[in-house]
Structures are given as C-alpha cells and as structure tokens.
Amino acid sequence: MRGHDRHLAGRDMAAGQGILLQAAAGKEEFMKTLVIKESDPDFAQEMEQAAQVIKDGGLVAFPTETVYGLGGNALDAEASAKIYAAKGRPSDNPLIVHICDPEDLDKVAVADDPRVRKLADAFWPGPLTMILNKKEIVPKETTGGLDTVAVRCPNHPLALELIRRSTGFIAAPSANTSGRPSPTKAEHVEEDLSGKIDCIIDGGEVGIGLESTILDMSEEIPTILRPGYITPQMLEKVIGKVRMDPALMTAGKGQRPKAPGMKYRHYAPKAQMYLVKGDKDAVVRKIQALCQKEKEAGRKVGILCSDETKGCYPYGTVVALGSRDHEEEIARNLFDALRSFDHMDTDVIYSEWFEAPGIGIAVMNRMMKAAGHQVIAAE
Ligand code: AMP
Ligand code: MG
C-alpha cells in the first residue's frame, strides 16, 4: 500500500462519485482513490467497476503507451469539467478523445480527407493524435471551446479495454497536476491526483514516456503542433509533406502555438532548470564550473546527464537519463528524472543538451519547456 488503500472492496467505489470524505482539518472534500492492478485476484471485476465509473461520469486514470491519462466520458460535458478541476488545468486547453477502434473516428470527427485514413492505418493504435473538425456529439467543454477535436487510438491493452467497456470515447489529458511533469508510472499519478479522482489503473511503467505527436489535419498542409515518438519523417513517408508549427521553433519568443496547451509552462520541476548547450566536452566543463559555484554558495544542485558522462560530476546529485546511443531510453526516463529532483529539494538543476534527429526533437521540446527556455552556452 502506498499512502492510501490500494485495494478497496469493489462495493466501496460509489459509482462515479468516489467516496467523499470530510477532511478533518479544514473543509476540503476529497475522495478515496481506488488503485487497481492486473495482479489483483479480482482484476476483471475491478476493470468492470472502473468502466462503470466512466459511464457514471467519474474519473479513472489509466496507462497508455505514451504516459498515464486521466479519463472521463468525452461526450459528457460535466465529466470534462471534472478533469479540468482535478488537474487544475486551464479550461481553454482541450482534451484528447481516446477511441478503441479506428472505425469510431467518424463518430466524433469529420474524417473525409483520405490522408486521415492512411495515417490511422499506419499508426493506430499508437502515439499519433490527429486534430480534425469536430462533430456535434462532442461537447465544447471537451475541446476547450474549439470547433476541432483531437483524437487518438492508444496502443495499450488496458486503455483499450477501459474504452471498450465504458462509453467508447474517453477524454484524457495526461494524469498529472497541470504544469508538473507527465506521469510515466502509477505512483506519479498517485502523487498528484490521489484523493481527487475515483480510480487509478496501475499498469506499471509506460513504454514510450513522452506524450503523443499531435498532427493538425484541419490545415491544408498537415502541421505538427507537438513533436513526439512519431517523427516528421515517419509521417511524410505515409502522406507526403508535413510542417512544424512555426511557434515550436520560436517557442518562448512570443509566437502563439496552435495547440493551446503548448503555451503553458509545463513539465516543470520545482527547482530552476538550465540547459547547457555546446559540444560534449565543453558542456561537461561548464556544468562542473557551475556546480562549483553552487557548492560555494551552499546550494543543492541536480545534474541531468547521460550514462556516458555521469562519472564527470563530483558535486551535486547526478541523474543519468540513459545512453546517448539509446534515444528511446532517454525519452522514457525524462519525466521520472524531473520528478525525482522534487523529492531531493534541489535548488537548481543543470542539464546537458540532448538534441538528436529522431525522438530527440520531442525530448528537447519537453526539456526546453521544463527549463522555461533557459539555455546557457558552453564555450
Ligand atoms: P495532454 O493530453 O495533457 O497531452 O494535452 C493535450 C494537448 O493537445 C494539449 O497541448 C492541447 O492543447 C492539444 N489539443 C487538444 N485538442 C486540440 C485541438 N482541438 N486543437 C489544437 N490542440 C489541441
Ligand atoms: Mg499534459
């Protein structure tokens, strides 16, 4: 058990409401969050209950192959409002609608562009979200007031089962408190949302660890609004030309990104974070010098680096993301590493630069946001 009851008896999960309790101190209301996992002897029955929670308008966090999602019935405006409230998410930041069968896309979105079908055939189930004009059935609460809707079919058996057994359309942003690093383990979800949602399905650590690629198909030239595991090259092989949202390149310098969520401070650890850019040896020397100064000032330093350089830093808490030869490992470990600094009460974090052509674009996008675009040049 971690912090609260992980295995309440099924009947204790009041349908869609959780169990509302009055906190002893103050008047704050919270609910008891049920945590279920595949190894539970009655897991099949627990999944049925989790699906019932969604049907009844409640919230269930679940694993996907990218990060954990916080799910509610996408066709229920009140359920979407609950998602925003639990995360503390600004209500103009739309939610992604998750489906379990690519054939269901037509029910929520206008999908007559043949390129949409090609992309669905190539990448679904998988880490690609498409933005399309929405159909009437999707409430504006789910789309943050927009006439477009984001849709994805995730590649995770528990996610697909939950969607299938409940309402077929689950709105799910990442299951973190707004602004914090996205959750890649059930423990991260518990840390942020325990007491605020009905249920967490613990499916262990996720496979990819970065959120889906978001592709805006409502534009003439399909536009990547958020980089992810599916790279521009992979998309272009299937549908020809795609472009990056220009705001991704000038991020932090005033241009407005088309995905509303991309404008918010995001993925941020509590400490100030700086990215140190330059060639490998210069970066190591610069971080060593910065750490020496922090030591003299009596401040706690965190260092984010690769396996190859983790032995280079004598002062500070070193967290290695993985080998530079394995971009996917670095992507998978990033959010957990950022969260780990919060537990160490680090004052400042210096990170090596990780740019690489494939998924590295997505890694750097998240790192730049976590660092609030603070970059130090290493010469
Ligand atoms: P999350 O699910 O927490 O990864 O956040 C979903 C992301 O998708 C946010 O950055 C949203 O702004 C973006 N998004 C969702 N729906 C739309 C839409 N209709 N148009 C543009 N961006 C969207
Ligand atoms: Mg998110």
Side-chain angles (χ1 to χ4, degrees):
M1 298 227 186
R2 282 185 299 257
H4 60 272
D5 298 347
R6 288 181 65 83
H7 305 290
L8 293 175
R11 64 186 175 290
D12 288 345
M13 185 164 38
Q17 303 298 317
I19 300 167
L20 289 177
L21 301 170
Q22 286 290 330
K27 288 240 159 26
E28 225 181 312
E29 277 192 340
F30 65 94
M31 56 176 76
K32 216 161 207 180
T33 302
L34 178 81
V35 183
I36 64 175
K37 63 196 307 185
E38 259 179 316
S39 54
D40 296 347
D42 50 354
F43 183 67
Q45 193 196 333
E46 288 176 330
M47 276 299 282
E48 197 54 51
Q49 289 159 8
Q52 190 62 42
V53 166
I54 299 280
K55 286 190 215 167
D56 291 340
L59 304 186
V60 177
F62 60 95
T64 77
E65 79 282 29
T66 58
V67 299
Y68 274 76
L70 174 58
N73 180 5
L75 308 184
D76 174 354
E78 278 179 34
S80 290
K82 282 187 195 169
I83 293 175
Y84 288 103
K87 279 179 62 79
R89 180 173 173 113
S91 59
D92 70 341
N93 187 2
L95 311 175
I96 295 174
V97 175
H98 291 69
I99 55 179
C100 59
D101 181 347
E103 297 303 320
D104 290 338
L105 175 62
D106 288 339
K107 296 180 186 150
V108 286
V110 180
D112 37 21
D113 180 339
R115 291 176 298 183
V116 170
R117 183 51 56 198
K118 282 189 185 163
L119 289 168
D121 287 346
F123 299 113
W124 281 357
L128 175 69
T129 296
M130 287 192 262
I131 309 282
L132 298 159
N133 287 323
K134 81 172 189 72
K135 290 210 169 146
E136 194 64 32
I137 190 174
V138 184
K140 287 242 174 145
E141 283 75 3
T142 300
T143 62
L146 299 175
D147 292 322
T148 52
V149 61
V151 187
R152 172 166 115 83
C153 180
N155 187 15
H156 193 292
L158 295 177
L160 294 171
E161 188 181 341
L162 182 70
I163 300 166
R164 191 178 311 111
R165 286 209 204 186
S166 58
T167 55
F169 301 94
I170 294 190
S174 50
N176 53 311
T177 298
S178 199
R180 294 209 72 207
S182 297
T184 55
K185 298 173 177 172
E187 288 84 349
H188 298 161
V189 183
E190 289 184 54
E191 212 170 83
D192 284 11
L193 298 177
S194 201
K196 296 181 177 172
I197 63 176
D198 300 278
C199 177
I200 298 169
I201 302 171
D202 182 347
E205 191 170 0
V206 300
I208 293 179
L210 293 181
E211 304 85 346
S212 57
T213 304
I214 299 181
L215 185 66
D216 187 351
M217 293 301 294
S218 71
E219 301 257 358
E220 192 47 39
I221 301 176
T223 305
I224 294 176
L225 306 186
R226 178 173 71 186
Y229 182 84
I230 309 275
T231 61
Q233 297 87 326
M234 290 159 79
L235 295 167
E236 288 192 333
K237 266 195 195 153
V238 178
I239 55 161
K241 190 168 171 46
V242 303
R243 62 177 199 133
M244 296 286 257
D245 183 358
L248 287 174
M249 268 72 99
T250 58
K253 297 199 185 86
Q255 192 149 7
R256 202 180 167 77
K258 197 174 168 201
M262 297 298 276
K263 71 177 180 276
Y264 293 109
R265 184 172 147 83
H266 226 131
Y267 317 120
K270 288 175 189 148
Q272 284 285 321
M273 177 166 156
Y274 297 87
L275 301 184
V276 181
K277 186 177 184 181
D279 79 54
K280 203 180 107 210
D281 294 339
V283 164
V284 170
R285 278 197 307 274
K286 183 74 184 179
I287 295 180
Q288 285 168 340
L290 289 163
C291 289
Q292 182 59 32
K293 276 201 184 139
E294 298 296 346
K295 184 181 178 187
E296 284 158 21
R299 283 154 47 95
K300 275 190 169 176
V301 195
I303 299 151
L304 211 48
C305 64
S306 60
D307 283 352
E308 289 81 359
T309 50
K310 66 183 176 197
C312 299
Y313 304 107
Y315 177 74
T317 306
V318 177
V319 178
L321 289 175
S323 166
R324 283 182 183 269
D325 294 335
H326 299 113
E327 282 191 290
E328 298 193 354
E329 192 184 351
I330 288 173
R332 187 165 51 243
N333 290 331
L334 176 63
F335 290 138
D336 188 48
L338 291 174
R339 275 180 183 259
S340 72
F341 288 120
D342 289 347
H343 299 295
M344 299 171 210
D345 285 329
T346 317
D347 296 309
V348 59
I349 301 164
Y350 294 109
S351 174
E352 294 178 356
W353 192 260
F354 278 90
E355 193 137 18
I359 195 176
I361 299 170
V363 169
M364 281 319 292
N365 169 267
R366 307 311 191 268
M367 278 199 166
M368 283 292 263
K369 281 174 161 289
H373 300 276
Q374 304 185 104
V375 178
I376 297 173
E379 273 115 35

